[in-house]
Each structure stands twice: as C-alpha cells, then as structure tokens.
PDB file of all heavy atoms in Angstrom:
ATOM      1  N   GLY A 290     103.090  40.684 209.172  1.00 43.00           N
ATOM      2  CA  GLY A 290     101.789  41.191 208.789  1.00 43.00           C
ATOM      3  C   GLY A 290     100.700  40.943 209.802  1.00 43.00           C
ATOM      4  O   GLY A 290      99.835  40.154 209.554  1.00 43.00           O
ATOM      5  N   ALA A 291     100.754  41.608 210.946  1.00 50.00           N
ATOM      6  CA  ALA A 291      99.636  41.504 211.870  1.00 50.00           C
ATOM      7  C   ALA A 291      98.466  42.259 211.246  1.00 50.00           C
ATOM      8  O   ALA A 291      98.381  42.341 210.061  1.00 50.00           O
ATOM      9  CB  ALA A 291     100.040  42.078 213.211  1.00 50.00           C
ATOM     10  N   CYS A 292      97.567  42.813 211.988  1.00 66.00           N
ATOM     11  CA  CYS A 292      96.432  43.440 211.326  1.00 66.00           C
ATOM     12  C   CYS A 292      96.698  44.884 210.945  1.00 66.00           C
ATOM     13  O   CYS A 292      97.511  45.552 211.526  1.00 66.00           O
ATOM     14  CB  CYS A 292      95.183  43.224 212.121  1.00 66.00           C
ATOM     15  SG  CYS A 292      94.670  44.103 213.509  1.00 66.00           S
ATOM     16  N   LEU A 293      96.005  45.315 209.902  1.00 77.00           N
ATOM     17  CA  LEU A 293      96.169  46.661 209.367  1.00 77.00           C
ATOM     18  C   LEU A 293      95.174  47.592 210.027  1.00 77.00           C
ATOM     19  O   LEU A 293      94.063  47.204 210.365  1.00 77.00           O
ATOM     20  CB  LEU A 293      95.931  46.653 207.860  1.00 77.00           C
ATOM     21  CG  LEU A 293      96.838  45.755 207.041  1.00 77.00           C
ATOM     22  CD1 LEU A 293      96.387  45.732 205.592  1.00 77.00           C
ATOM     23  CD2 LEU A 293      98.272  46.227 207.129  1.00 77.00           C
ATOM     24  N   LYS A 294      95.568  48.844 210.168  1.00 78.00           N
ATOM     25  CA  LYS A 294      94.689  49.831 210.785  1.00 78.00           C
ATOM     26  C   LYS A 294      94.690  51.106 209.951  1.00 78.00           C
ATOM     27  O   LYS A 294      95.646  51.384 209.228  1.00 78.00           O
ATOM     28  CB  LYS A 294      95.166  50.155 212.205  1.00 78.00           C
ATOM     29  CG  LYS A 294      95.079  48.981 213.136  1.00 78.00           C
ATOM     30  CD  LYS A 294      95.577  49.310 214.513  1.00 78.00           C
ATOM     31  CE  LYS A 294      95.532  48.058 215.366  1.00 78.00           C
ATOM     32  NZ  LYS A 294      96.236  48.172 216.592  1.00 78.00           N
ATOM     33  N   GLY A 295      93.631  51.870 210.079  1.00 85.00           N
ATOM     34  CA  GLY A 295      93.554  53.200 209.485  1.00 85.00           C
ATOM     35  C   GLY A 295      93.720  53.227 207.983  1.00 85.00           C
ATOM     36  O   GLY A 295      93.115  52.441 207.244  1.00 85.00           O
ATOM     37  N   ARG A 296      94.555  54.151 207.535  1.00 90.00           N
ATOM     38  CA  ARG A 296      94.782  54.365 206.102  1.00 90.00           C
ATOM     39  C   ARG A 296      95.352  53.131 205.411  1.00 90.00           C
ATOM     40  O   ARG A 296      95.010  52.841 204.273  1.00 90.00           O
ATOM     41  CB  ARG A 296      95.727  55.549 205.870  1.00 90.00           C
ATOM     42  CG  ARG A 296      95.117  56.877 206.133  1.00 90.00           C
ATOM     43  CD  ARG A 296      94.245  57.265 204.969  1.00 90.00           C
ATOM     44  NE  ARG A 296      93.787  58.631 205.166  1.00 90.00           N
ATOM     45  CZ  ARG A 296      92.615  59.066 204.780  1.00 90.00           C
ATOM     46  NH1 ARG A 296      91.786  58.274 204.166  1.00 90.00           N
ATOM     47  NH2 ARG A 296      92.273  60.298 205.002  1.00 90.00           N
ATOM     48  N   GLN A 297      96.245  52.405 206.104  1.00 89.00           N
ATOM     49  CA  GLN A 297      96.808  51.204 205.487  1.00 89.00           C
ATOM     50  C   GLN A 297      95.703  50.221 205.142  1.00 89.00           C
ATOM     51  O   GLN A 297      95.722  49.607 204.087  1.00 89.00           O
ATOM     52  CB  GLN A 297      97.840  50.544 206.409  1.00 89.00           C
ATOM     53  CG  GLN A 297      99.165  51.236 206.442  1.00 89.00           C
ATOM     54  CD  GLN A 297     100.196  50.468 207.236  1.00 89.00           C
ATOM     55  OE1 GLN A 297      99.879  49.609 208.058  1.00 89.00           O
ATOM     56  NE2 GLN A 297     101.460  50.785 206.993  1.00 89.00           N
ATOM     57  N   ARG A 298      94.747  50.081 206.023  1.00 88.00           N
ATOM     58  CA  ARG A 298      93.625  49.166 205.782  1.00 88.00           C
ATOM     59  C   ARG A 298      92.802  49.619 204.573  1.00 88.00           C
ATOM     60  O   ARG A 298      92.435  48.822 203.725  1.00 88.00           O
ATOM     61  CB  ARG A 298      92.752  49.104 207.046  1.00 88.00           C
ATOM     62  CG  ARG A 298      91.476  48.344 206.906  1.00 88.00           C
ATOM     63  CD  ARG A 298      91.744  46.892 206.692  1.00 88.00           C
ATOM     64  NE  ARG A 298      90.483  46.202 206.508  1.00 88.00           N
ATOM     65  CZ  ARG A 298      90.314  44.944 206.704  1.00 88.00           C
ATOM     66  NH1 ARG A 298      91.333  44.208 207.093  1.00 88.00           N
ATOM     67  NH2 ARG A 298      89.175  44.371 206.485  1.00 88.00           N
ATOM     68  N   GLN A 299      92.509  50.918 204.497  1.00 90.00           N
ATOM     69  CA  GLN A 299      91.727  51.453 203.378  1.00 90.00           C
ATOM     70  C   GLN A 299      92.459  51.251 202.054  1.00 90.00           C
ATOM     71  O   GLN A 299      91.867  50.828 201.062  1.00 90.00           O
ATOM     72  CB  GLN A 299      91.426  52.941 203.591  1.00 90.00           C
ATOM     73  CG  GLN A 299      90.505  53.210 204.751  1.00 90.00           C
ATOM     74  CD  GLN A 299      90.379  54.695 205.041  1.00 90.00           C
ATOM     75  OE1 GLN A 299      91.355  55.434 204.976  1.00 90.00           O
ATOM     76  NE2 GLN A 299      89.156  55.120 205.361  1.00 90.00           N
ATOM     77  N   VAL A 300      93.742  51.575 202.048  1.00 91.00           N
ATOM     78  CA  VAL A 300      94.544  51.416 200.824  1.00 91.00           C
ATOM     79  C   VAL A 300      94.617  49.936 200.452  1.00 91.00           C
ATOM     80  O   VAL A 300      94.449  49.573 199.284  1.00 91.00           O
ATOM     81  CB  VAL A 300      95.954  52.025 201.011  1.00 91.00           C
ATOM     82  CG1 VAL A 300      96.873  51.636 199.864  1.00 91.00           C
ATOM     83  CG2 VAL A 300      95.861  53.542 201.140  1.00 91.00           C
ATOM     84  N   ALA A 301      94.843  49.069 201.421  1.00 89.00           N
ATOM     85  CA  ALA A 301      94.940  47.626 201.152  1.00 89.00           C
ATOM     86  C   ALA A 301      93.651  47.091 200.549  1.00 89.00           C
ATOM     87  O   ALA A 301      93.686  46.322 199.578  1.00 89.00           O
ATOM     88  CB  ALA A 301      95.274  46.877 202.438  1.00 89.00           C
ATOM     89  N   ASP A 302      92.509  47.497 201.096  1.00 87.00           N
ATOM     90  CA  ASP A 302      91.222  47.036 200.559  1.00 87.00           C
ATOM     91  C   ASP A 302      91.063  47.414 199.089  1.00 87.00           C
ATOM     92  O   ASP A 302      90.619  46.605 198.272  1.00 87.00           O
ATOM     93  CB  ASP A 302      90.059  47.603 201.375  1.00 87.00           C
ATOM     94  CG  ASP A 302      89.931  46.956 202.753  1.00 87.00           C
ATOM     95  OD1 ASP A 302      90.461  45.841 202.937  1.00 87.00           O
ATOM     96  OD2 ASP A 302      89.307  47.580 203.632  1.00 87.00           O
ATOM     97  N   LEU A 303      91.423  48.642 198.749  1.00 90.00           N
ATOM     98  CA  LEU A 303      91.287  49.098 197.358  1.00 90.00           C
ATOM     99  C   LEU A 303      92.300  48.409 196.439  1.00 90.00           C
ATOM    100  O   LEU A 303      91.986  48.079 195.297  1.00 90.00           O
ATOM    101  CB  LEU A 303      91.423  50.621 197.277  1.00 90.00           C
ATOM    102  CG  LEU A 303      90.274  51.397 197.937  1.00 90.00           C
ATOM    103  CD1 LEU A 303      90.580  52.887 197.973  1.00 90.00           C
ATOM    104  CD2 LEU A 303      88.966  51.128 197.208  1.00 90.00           C
ATOM    105  N   LEU A 304      93.504  48.173 196.936  1.00 88.00           N
ATOM    106  CA  LEU A 304      94.511  47.476 196.123  1.00 88.00           C
ATOM    107  C   LEU A 304      94.073  46.047 195.820  1.00 88.00           C
ATOM    108  O   LEU A 304      94.249  45.551 194.711  1.00 88.00           O
ATOM    109  CB  LEU A 304      95.872  47.473 196.822  1.00 88.00           C
ATOM    110  CG  LEU A 304      96.593  48.814 196.918  1.00 88.00           C
ATOM    111  CD1 LEU A 304      97.872  48.663 197.735  1.00 88.00           C
ATOM    112  CD2 LEU A 304      96.890  49.386 195.551  1.00 88.00           C
ATOM    113  N   VAL A 305      93.478  45.388 196.817  1.00 86.00           N
ATOM    114  CA  VAL A 305      93.002  44.020 196.625  1.00 86.00           C
ATOM    115  C   VAL A 305      91.879  43.982 195.587  1.00 86.00           C
ATOM    116  O   VAL A 305      91.753  43.030 194.827  1.00 86.00           O
ATOM    117  CB  VAL A 305      92.553  43.397 197.974  1.00 86.00           C
ATOM    118  CG1 VAL A 305      91.805  42.099 197.774  1.00 86.00           C
ATOM    119  CG2 VAL A 305      93.771  43.164 198.853  1.00 86.00           C
ATOM    120  N   GLU A 306      91.089  45.049 195.535  1.00 86.00           N
ATOM    121  CA  GLU A 306      90.026  45.137 194.530  1.00 86.00           C
ATOM    122  C   GLU A 306      90.574  45.411 193.130  1.00 86.00           C
ATOM    123  O   GLU A 306      89.835  45.362 192.158  1.00 86.00           O
ATOM    124  CB  GLU A 306      89.039  46.252 194.902  1.00 86.00           C
ATOM    125  CG  GLU A 306      88.197  45.932 196.115  1.00 86.00           C
ATOM    126  CD  GLU A 306      87.322  47.112 196.534  1.00 86.00           C
ATOM    127  OE1 GLU A 306      87.174  48.080 195.744  1.00 86.00           O
ATOM    128  OE2 GLU A 306      86.782  47.059 197.640  1.00 86.00           O
ATOM    129  N   GLY A 307      91.872  45.731 193.039  1.00 86.00           N
ATOM    130  CA  GLY A 307      92.488  45.956 191.731  1.00 86.00           C
ATOM    131  C   GLY A 307      92.698  47.408 191.370  1.00 86.00           C
ATOM    132  O   GLY A 307      93.065  47.722 190.228  1.00 86.00           O
ATOM    133  N   ALA A 308      92.495  48.319 192.308  1.00 89.00           N
ATOM    134  CA  ALA A 308      92.672  49.745 192.026  1.00 89.00           C
ATOM    135  C   ALA A 308      94.149  50.091 191.865  1.00 89.00           C
ATOM    136  O   ALA A 308      95.009  49.506 192.529  1.00 89.00           O
ATOM    137  CB  ALA A 308      92.055  50.580 193.157  1.00 89.00           C
ATOM    138  N   THR A 309      94.437  51.031 190.979  1.00 91.00           N
ATOM    139  CA  THR A 309      95.800  51.541 190.813  1.00 91.00           C
ATOM    140  C   THR A 309      96.078  52.563 191.910  1.00 91.00           C
ATOM    141  O   THR A 309      95.155  53.019 192.601  1.00 91.00           O
ATOM    142  CB  THR A 309      95.974  52.217 189.441  1.00 91.00           C
ATOM    143  OG1 THR A 309      95.122  53.378 189.397  1.00 91.00           O
ATOM    144  CG2 THR A 309      95.636  51.266 188.302  1.00 91.00           C
ATOM    145  N   ASP A 310      97.334  52.968 192.057  1.00 92.00           N
ATOM    146  CA  ASP A 310      97.685  53.987 193.052  1.00 92.00           C
ATOM    147  C   ASP A 310      96.885  55.268 192.809  1.00 92.00           C
ATOM    148  O   ASP A 310      96.403  55.894 193.743  1.00 92.00           O
ATOM    149  CB  ASP A 310      99.179  54.289 193.013  1.00 92.00           C
ATOM    150  CG  ASP A 310     100.026  53.152 193.544  1.00 92.00           C
ATOM    151  OD1 ASP A 310      99.466  52.177 194.084  1.00 92.00           O
ATOM    152  OD2 ASP A 310     101.261  53.243 193.421  1.00 92.00           O
ATOM    153  N   HIS A 311      96.770  55.659 191.549  1.00 94.00           N
ATOM    154  CA  HIS A 311      96.045  56.888 191.197  1.00 94.00           C
ATOM    155  C   HIS A 311      94.561  56.768 191.574  1.00 94.00           C
ATOM    156  O   HIS A 311      93.972  57.708 192.127  1.00 94.00           O
ATOM    157  CB  HIS A 311      96.210  57.179 189.703  1.00 94.00           C
ATOM    158  CG  HIS A 311      95.586  58.454 189.270  1.00 94.00           C
ATOM    159  ND1 HIS A 311      96.104  59.681 189.629  1.00 94.00           N
ATOM    160  CD2 HIS A 311      94.470  58.704 188.534  1.00 94.00           C
ATOM    161  CE1 HIS A 311      95.343  60.631 189.114  1.00 94.00           C
ATOM    162  NE2 HIS A 311      94.342  60.067 188.449  1.00 94.00           N
ATOM    163  N   GLN A 312      93.947  55.618 191.303  1.00 94.00           N
ATOM    164  CA  GLN A 312      92.546  55.403 191.658  1.00 94.00           C
ATOM    165  C   GLN A 312      92.352  55.407 193.176  1.00 94.00           C
ATOM    166  O   GLN A 312      91.369  55.954 193.684  1.00 94.00           O
ATOM    167  CB  GLN A 312      92.041  54.083 191.064  1.00 94.00           C
ATOM    168  CG  GLN A 312      91.930  54.113 189.556  1.00 94.00           C
ATOM    169  CD  GLN A 312      91.711  52.726 188.961  1.00 94.00           C
ATOM    170  OE1 GLN A 312      92.126  51.719 189.544  1.00 94.00           O
ATOM    171  NE2 GLN A 312      91.071  52.684 187.796  1.00 94.00           N
ATOM    172  N   VAL A 313      93.276  54.793 193.902  1.00 93.00           N
ATOM    173  CA  VAL A 313      93.206  54.793 195.365  1.00 93.00           C
ATOM    174  C   VAL A 313      93.278  56.221 195.885  1.00 93.00           C
ATOM    175  O   VAL A 313      92.501  56.625 196.758  1.00 93.00           O
ATOM    176  CB  VAL A 313      94.336  53.931 195.975  1.00 93.00           C
ATOM    177  CG1 VAL A 313      94.402  54.109 197.485  1.00 93.00           C
ATOM    178  CG2 VAL A 313      94.160  52.467 195.617  1.00 93.00           C
ATOM    179  N   ALA A 314      94.205  57.007 195.345  1.00 95.00           N
ATOM    180  CA  ALA A 314      94.361  58.401 195.768  1.00 95.00           C
ATOM    181  C   ALA A 314      93.073  59.189 195.547  1.00 95.00           C
ATOM    182  O   ALA A 314      92.632  59.933 196.435  1.00 95.00           O
ATOM    183  CB  ALA A 314      95.520  59.048 195.011  1.00 95.00           C
ATOM    184  N   ASN A 315      92.464  59.023 194.387  1.00 95.00           N
ATOM    185  CA  ASN A 315      91.225  59.747 194.088  1.00 95.00           C
ATOM    186  C   ASN A 315      90.085  59.331 195.019  1.00 95.00           C
ATOM    187  O   ASN A 315      89.335  60.167 195.501  1.00 95.00           O
ATOM    188  CB  ASN A 315      90.808  59.527 192.634  1.00 95.00           C
ATOM    189  CG  ASN A 315      91.689  60.293 191.670  1.00 95.00           C
ATOM    190  OD1 ASN A 315      92.346  61.270 192.046  1.00 95.00           O
ATOM    191  ND2 ASN A 315      91.718  59.850 190.427  1.00 95.00           N
ATOM    192  N   ARG A 316      89.947  58.039 195.265  1.00 94.00           N
ATOM    193  CA  ARG A 316      88.828  57.555 196.090  1.00 94.00           C
ATOM    194  C   ARG A 316      88.977  57.924 197.560  1.00 94.00           C
ATOM    195  O   ARG A 316      87.990  58.111 198.262  1.00 94.00           O
ATOM    196  CB  ARG A 316      88.680  56.055 195.929  1.00 94.00           C
ATOM    197  CG  ARG A 316      88.077  55.715 194.558  1.00 94.00           C
ATOM    198  CD  ARG A 316      87.964  54.260 194.289  1.00 94.00           C
ATOM    199  NE  ARG A 316      86.950  53.596 195.083  1.00 94.00           N
ATOM    200  CZ  ARG A 316      86.702  52.302 194.992  1.00 94.00           C
ATOM    201  NH1 ARG A 316      87.380  51.546 194.145  1.00 94.00           N
ATOM    202  NH2 ARG A 316      85.779  51.743 195.741  1.00 94.00           N
ATOM    203  N   LEU A 317      90.233  58.014 198.034  1.00 94.00           N
ATOM    204  CA  LEU A 317      90.445  58.326 199.450  1.00 94.00           C
ATOM    205  C   LEU A 317      90.787  59.790 199.707  1.00 94.00           C
ATOM    206  O   LEU A 317      90.964  60.198 200.857  1.00 94.00           O
ATOM    207  CB  LEU A 317      91.554  57.435 200.035  1.00 94.00           C
ATOM    208  CG  LEU A 317      91.276  55.930 200.045  1.00 94.00           C
ATOM    209  CD1 LEU A 317      92.463  55.174 200.606  1.00 94.00           C
ATOM    210  CD2 LEU A 317      90.008  55.628 200.832  1.00 94.00           C
ATOM    211  N   GLY A 318      90.897  60.570 198.630  1.00 94.00           N
ATOM    212  CA  GLY A 318      91.237  61.988 198.785  1.00 94.00           C
ATOM    213  C   GLY A 318      92.668  62.204 199.241  1.00 94.00           C
ATOM    214  O   GLY A 318      92.957  63.121 200.007  1.00 94.00           O
ATOM    215  N   LEU A 319      93.567  61.352 198.786  1.00 93.00           N
ATOM    216  CA  LEU A 319      94.985  61.450 199.132  1.00 93.00           C
ATOM    217  C   LEU A 319      95.788  61.819 197.894  1.00 93.00           C
ATOM    218  O   LEU A 319      95.305  61.688 196.768  1.00 93.00           O
ATOM    219  CB  LEU A 319      95.504  60.103 199.664  1.00 93.00           C
ATOM    220  CG  LEU A 319      94.799  59.509 200.875  1.00 93.00           C
ATOM    221  CD1 LEU A 319      95.288  58.078 201.108  1.00 93.00           C
ATOM    222  CD2 LEU A 319      95.057  60.357 202.102  1.00 93.00           C
ATOM    223  N   SER A 320      97.024  62.232 198.093  1.00 94.00           N
ATOM    224  CA  SER A 320      97.901  62.455 196.941  1.00 94.00           C
ATOM    225  C   SER A 320      98.467  61.109 196.492  1.00 94.00           C
ATOM    226  O   SER A 320      98.554  60.156 197.281  1.00 94.00           O
ATOM    227  CB  SER A 320      99.043  63.408 197.312  1.00 94.00           C
ATOM    228  OG  SER A 320      99.963  62.762 198.161  1.00 94.00           O
ATOM    229  N   SER A 321      98.850  61.031 195.228  1.00 93.00           N
ATOM    230  CA  SER A 321      99.458  59.794 194.708  1.00 93.00           C
ATOM    231  C   SER A 321     100.736  59.467 195.461  1.00 93.00           C
ATOM    232  O   SER A 321     101.062  58.307 195.695  1.00 93.00           O
ATOM    233  CB  SER A 321      99.744  59.920 193.214  1.00 93.00           C
ATOM    234  OG  SER A 321      98.541  59.968 192.498  1.00 93.00           O
ATOM    235  N   ARG A 322     101.461  60.503 195.852  1.00 94.00           N
ATOM    236  CA  ARG A 322     102.712  60.301 196.596  1.00 94.00           C
ATOM    237  C   ARG A 322     102.433  59.642 197.950  1.00 94.00           C
ATOM    238  O   ARG A 322     103.153  58.742 198.382  1.00 94.00           O
ATOM    239  CB  ARG A 322     103.430  61.623 196.797  1.00 94.00           C
ATOM    240  CG  ARG A 322     104.741  61.476 197.557  1.00 94.00           C
ATOM    241  CD  ARG A 322     105.389  62.818 197.736  1.00 94.00           C
ATOM    242  NE  ARG A 322     105.839  63.307 196.451  1.00 94.00           N
ATOM    243  CZ  ARG A 322     107.101  63.603 196.171  1.00 94.00           C
ATOM    244  NH1 ARG A 322     108.016  63.477 197.098  1.00 94.00           N
ATOM    245  NH2 ARG A 322     107.435  64.030 194.997  1.00 94.00           N
ATOM    246  N   THR A 323     101.365  60.055 198.620  1.00 94.00           N
ATOM    247  CA  THR A 323     100.995  59.454 199.912  1.00 94.00           C
ATOM    248  C   THR A 323     100.633  57.984 199.722  1.00 94.00           C
ATOM    249  O   THR A 323     101.043  57.128 200.520  1.00 94.00           O
ATOM    250  CB  THR A 323      99.821  60.226 200.547  1.00 94.00           C
ATOM    251  OG1 THR A 323     100.209  61.582 200.745  1.00 94.00           O
ATOM    252  CG2 THR A 323      99.412  59.602 201.872  1.00 94.00           C
ATOM    253  N   VAL A 324      99.892  57.683 198.666  1.00 94.00           N
ATOM    254  CA  VAL A 324      99.516  56.289 198.403  1.00 94.00           C
ATOM    255  C   VAL A 324     100.766  55.459 198.133  1.00 94.00           C
ATOM    256  O   VAL A 324     100.910  54.346 198.653  1.00 94.00           O
ATOM    257  CB  VAL A 324      98.516  56.195 197.235  1.00 94.00           C
ATOM    258  CG1 VAL A 324      98.280  54.745 196.839  1.00 94.00           C
ATOM    259  CG2 VAL A 324      97.202  56.869 197.603  1.00 94.00           C
ATOM    260  N   ARG A 325     101.704  55.986 197.331  1.00 94.00           N
ATOM    261  CA  ARG A 325     102.953  55.251 197.053  1.00 94.00           C
ATOM    262  C   ARG A 325     103.736  55.016 198.350  1.00 94.00           C
ATOM    263  O   ARG A 325     104.343  53.959 198.533  1.00 94.00           O
ATOM    264  CB  ARG A 325     103.799  55.995 196.025  1.00 94.00           C
ATOM    265  CG  ARG A 325     103.280  55.851 194.609  1.00 94.00           C
ATOM    266  CD  ARG A 325     104.291  56.339 193.584  1.00 94.00           C
ATOM    267  NE  ARG A 325     104.665  57.729 193.764  1.00 94.00           N
ATOM    268  CZ  ARG A 325     104.045  58.773 193.226  1.00 94.00           C
ATOM    269  NH1 ARG A 325     102.996  58.585 192.451  1.00 94.00           N
ATOM    270  NH2 ARG A 325     104.484  60.000 193.431  1.00 94.00           N
TER     271      ARG A 325
END
C-alpha cells in the first residue's frame, strides 16, 4: 500500500467516510461496476 492516486484516492476517501459503493458511484459520476 504505497500512496493512492487518481480515482483510487477519491474512492478510498469516500469509503473511509462510510459511503457505500452506490453512494461513491453517484458522488463521483461512475458506474457501480467501476466502483466495485
């Protein structure tokens, strides 16, 4: 686990805040499949 960049960083930040995959997808404008 070196440092995260780009989308991984954005998804990680939201997951740490407690967001579900569906919530992460909505907030970042991604599909749920991409988040998974």
